[in-house]
Amino acid sequence: MPNIVLFSGSSHHDLSQKVADRLGLDLGKVITKKFSNQETCVEIGESVRGEDVYIVQSGCGEINDNLMELLIMINACKIASSSRVTAVIPCFPYARQDKKDKSRAPISAKLVANMLSVAGADHIITMDLHASQIQGFFDIAVDNLYAEPAVLQWIKENIPEWKNGIIVSPDAGGAKRVTSIADRLNVDFALIHKERKKANEVDRMVLVGDVKDRVAILVDDMADTCGTICHAANKLIEAGAVKVYAILTHGIFSGPAISRINQAPFEAVVVTNTIPQEEKMRACPKIQVIDISMILAEAIRRTHNGESVSYLFSHVPL
């Protein structure tokens, strides 16, 4: 592929390498380091003049450092005369701070959007945004890819009794995502309504729908401390579900998440590799990973060649 350069930030080198292998490219030379006062230093080690540059950096780990590194890399490529810079952000940082849910709350997702634009990004490729309206925070093109086709494929291949399944959303916000998957599988769906007293803590839950003697598949876009999904799993078992699976696009798993999953009645907790999961998998045998590198690689290839990306909304590239 002529005139394309793929750089990896330091947040998720493994995913970047898989994307590069899939595209038949070598990752561009870039050195990211920190000065002794913890300032981020980025050195782009090859010419990007007139090139179509893609920078892969996920919003995970040291989020603020990784975001700053991405901004500096975008800017470095921009002022080195690249023709276009695309930020490939599998897990968009600050996506949950997308509205003023109480007085004086910041809308940090909009701030991140502004920062990316000001740094010089011409295009954003991301996956399963927490709220798809975040695309409207940008004045540049945003491709919000979906893990849904890969999730459907995983369900059909790994849950033998999926036809007797029921897709469950652990909160009302994920209802749209769940109904879409339930329609594609031609099965029923259920909702869990939760009331929060404060962030990261769930107060009480109400199940809407019948899960008795069915295989319940919890679907959500992200799990952080896993309070919600573990609560939901217990609720589903109480309501008579035979087995409970959880499928999440972004497995952040911070704080007590791993010990909660180990104690919860899940058959499996399935996440994609938008965030590195190797350590988590060692700590928790229930965690399984769906590789989505081919979806990102195909989106990059299509964007570079000026083709339509919408095929990826309903198909997994072969």
Side-chain angles (χ1 to χ4, degrees):
M1 294 166 76
N3 287 27
I4 179 171
V5 184
L6 183 67
F7 290 118
S8 169
S10 55
S11 66
H12 198 344
H13 201 272
D14 180 48
L15 180 66
S16 311
Q17 190 59 58
K18 283 184 169 141
V19 170
D21 292 345
R22 173 88 192 193
L23 291 169
L25 299 171
D26 292 326
L27 284 173
K29 295 184 189 67
V30 60
I31 298 165
T32 56
K33 57 177 189 275
K34 282 200 175 151
F35 293 120
S36 62
N37 68 348
Q38 299 303 300
E39 280 182 13
T40 301
C41 166
V42 172
E43 290 173 20
I44 306 290
E46 58 187 78
S47 170
V48 292
R49 185 175 296 275
E51 303 279 20
D52 191 7
V53 176
Y54 293 83
I55 301 170
V56 182
Q57 179 83 302
S58 200
C60 56
E62 294 284 340
I63 289 195
N64 298 328
D65 282 354
N66 290 337
L67 176 58
M68 196 67 208
E69 183 182 285
L70 173 62
L71 297 170
I72 294 171
M73 284 174 83
I74 291 169
N75 195 245
C77 293
K78 198 71 192 168
I79 61 178
S81 306
S82 60
S83 68
R84 176 173 68 169
V85 181
T86 302
V88 182
I89 314 174
C91 180
F92 193 81
Y94 290 95
R96 284 175 285 183
Q97 299 182 35
D98 59 350
K99 58 187 172 294
K100 281 190 78 162
D101 49 3
K102 52 183 181 290
S103 303
R104 299 175 294 283
I107 304 180
S108 311
K110 168 72 172 161
L111 176 64
V112 171
N114 289 341
M115 285 159 69
L116 287 163
S117 302
V118 168
D122 300 295
H123 182 190
I124 306 288
I125 295 175
T126 183
M127 188 162 236
D128 272 348
L129 282 171
H130 188 61
S132 48
Q133 294 90 311
I134 292 173
Q135 293 171 88
F137 291 170
F138 290 90
D139 290 328
I140 53 178
V142 178
D143 283 319
N144 180 26
L145 304 172
Y146 300 115
E148 185 181 292
V151 165
L152 292 167
Q153 188 180 339
W154 190 92
I155 290 173
K156 288 175 180 169
E157 288 173 4
N158 295 281
I159 304 180
E161 54 285 73
W162 65 268
K163 286 181 177 159
N164 180 38
I166 182 162
I167 314 291
V168 186
S169 171
D171 58 13
K176 207 168 171 186
R177 186 178 292 108
V178 165
T179 47
S180 166
I181 289 177
D183 286 349
R184 301 272 297 273
L185 289 172
N186 200 16
V187 298
D188 291 338
F189 75 96
L191 288 181
I192 289 176
H193 171 66
K194 68 180 176 193
E195 293 173 1
R196 279 183 196 268
K197 287 278 186 281
K198 54 178 190 274
N200 289 66
E201 281 186 30
V202 180
D203 193 34
R204 66 189 199 92
M205 301 186 123
V206 185
L207 175 63
V208 185
D210 179 25
V211 297
K212 191 166 172 53
D213 303 327
R214 322 262 297 265
V215 174
I217 304 169
L218 278 164
V219 176
D220 207 354
D221 67 317
M222 60 166 66
D224 189 351
T225 54
C226 292
T228 305
I229 60 160
C230 292
H231 234 93
N234 292 325
K235 195 88 190 164
L236 290 166
I237 294 290
E238 280 168 32
V242 192
K243 288 181 181 172
V244 181
Y245 291 87
I247 304 184
L248 318 151
T249 306
H250 308 298
I252 301 168
F253 301 144
S254 64
I258 298 294
S259 63
R260 281 178 179 169
I261 292 174
N262 281 327
Q263 288 158 19
F266 290 115
E267 294 295 310
V269 175
V270 184
V271 292
T272 68
N273 59 346
T274 54
I275 291 172
Q277 300 293 351
E278 289 74 26
E279 282 179 33
K280 321 253 173 62
M281 288 169 78
R282 281 197 287 276
C284 177
K286 290 181 188 176
I287 295 176
Q288 298 184 29
V289 173
I290 301 173
D291 181 23
I292 48 88
S293 60
M294 68 284 182
I295 298 177
L296 293 173
E298 185 63 12
I300 290 172
R301 190 192 69 75
R302 285 169 179 259
T303 305
H304 177 65
N305 293 336
E307 299 170 26
S308 165
V309 176
S310 54
Y311 172 83
L312 297 174
F313 298 157
S314 52
H315 298 83
V316 182
L318 300 169

